[in-house]
Amino acid sequence: QVLVVESGGGLVQPGGSLRLSCAASGTIFGINAMSWYRQAPGKQLELVAAITEGGSTNYADSVKGRFTISRDNAKNTVYLQMNSLKPEDTAVYYCNVVYRQIGTTRDSWGQGTQVTVSP
């Protein structure tokens, strides 16, 4: 059983910054990838950023140059540094962890953390 816990959301002004954290705990042999998704009201989930165990990253076009994803493999933790925030970044941000246990690969989701960008 793997628990995924997100933190770091909040209310910021346009142009401000936030850093989100996501920590996975439990019986994990290894993590294949950790990703950040977001969902605004009335919209579908959007992949924001992802990072693999080896450190490869990819970003949604809308956040390239503004957001940076990183991870600490020893801590099973992923971070999302969000700079130059825009009102359209307002959403609930969810962390997804794809991990390996003995004989299987599974994924778990965090509970979500609210990010609101407003003057």
Side-chain angles (χ1 to χ4, degrees):
Q1 298 182 2
V2 172
L3 177 66
V4 177
V5 179
E6 301 138 316
S7 62
L11 174 64
V12 297
Q13 295 182 352
S17 298
L18 284 173
R19 175 171 288 182
L20 306 183
S21 299
C22 170
S25 61
T27 303
I28 302 174
F29 182 75
I31 294 178
N32 291 345
M34 304 182 79
S35 303
W36 287 98
Y37 291 77
R38 66 186 181 187
Q39 186 171 33
K43 301 180 67 175
Q44 296 185 1
L45 280 172
E46 174 190 19
L47 177 63
V48 177
I51 187 167
T52 69
E53 187 176 21
S56 298
T57 61
N58 66 277
Y59 299 90
D61 288 342
S62 59
V63 307
K64 286 181 179 178
R66 300 188 297 121
F67 291 10
T68 302
I69 189 169
S70 61
R71 66 176 294 173
D72 185 333
N73 289 342
K75 298 180 179 179
N76 290 334
T77 299
V78 65
Y79 307 94
L80 186 67
Q81 178 66 46
M82 305 186 295
N83 298 327
S84 302
L85 283 162
K86 304 174 180 179
E88 51 262 44
D89 296 318
T90 296
V92 178
Y93 284 71
Y94 297 94
C95 179
N96 177 259
V97 181
V98 180
Y99 61 93
R100 302 186 298 276
Q101 295 180 327
I102 297 177
T104 189
T105 300
R106 303 175 65 91
D107 74 293
S108 293
W109 290 86
Q111 79 287 349
T113 184
Q114 177 71 48
V115 172
T116 302
V117 185
S118 175

